[in-house]
Amino acid sequence: MDDPTAEDQIRALRLRAGLTQAELARRVGTTQSAIARWERGAVSPSLRTAHRLAAACGHDLAFVAEGAVEPEAATLDDGQRARIEANLRLTPAQRLDRATRAANFVLRGRRSMSAARR
């Protein structure tokens, strides 16, 4: 079965709430003709208006991104994943200490390289 369209969702919410287009329009602060245009799919409501429509019908509006994968997470090997997980188990103070020590190590290395070039 096909996923319901936005206009199907708006109509279904309104009917489930037992509202006419005019009653929903009053609750949302718009006109009955605007509700009719949205339900026909002639125009789409803004995201903010969609939230208001759902709330006026006694529902919350939620979105789920299906199949979304963070590109960085998709390319991590097992060793990288293990290091990240180990780092996340540290306290913030421990992570800060490690970052400070790593930065100091890099600075010492740069100074050594700079001195060797002279």
Side-chain angles (χ1 to χ4, degrees), residues 20-31:
T20 65
Q21 288 181 345
E23 290 168 330
L24 179 56
R26 273 192 296 281
R27 288 185 180 194
V28 176
T30 191
T31 63

Side-chain angles (χ1 to χ4, degrees), residues 73 75-89:
T75 60
L76 296 177
D77 65 35
D78 290 339
Q80 291 168 320
R81 238 180 255 287
R83 286 189 297 278
I84 289 170
E85 288 169 0
N87 194 42
L88 290 173
R89 285 191 292 272

Side-chain angles (χ1 to χ4, degrees), residues 16-78:
R16 199 172 311 139
L19 300 171
T20 65
Q21 288 181 345
E23 290 168 330
L24 179 56
R26 273 192 296 281
R27 288 185 180 194
V28 176
T30 191
T31 63
Q32 178 274 326
S33 61
I35 301 294
R37 284 191 305 274
W38 291 326
E39 287 188 2
R40 276 195 325 268
V43 293
S44 296
S46 67
L47 183 57
R48 182 177 185 167
T49 300
H51 277 281
R52 289 180 25 229
L53 287 165
C57 294
H59 295 277
D60 289 326
L61 187 63
F63 293 95
V64 176
E66 294 180 9
V69 176
E70 294 181 31
E72 307 82 38
T75 60
L76 296 177
D77 65 35
D78 290 339

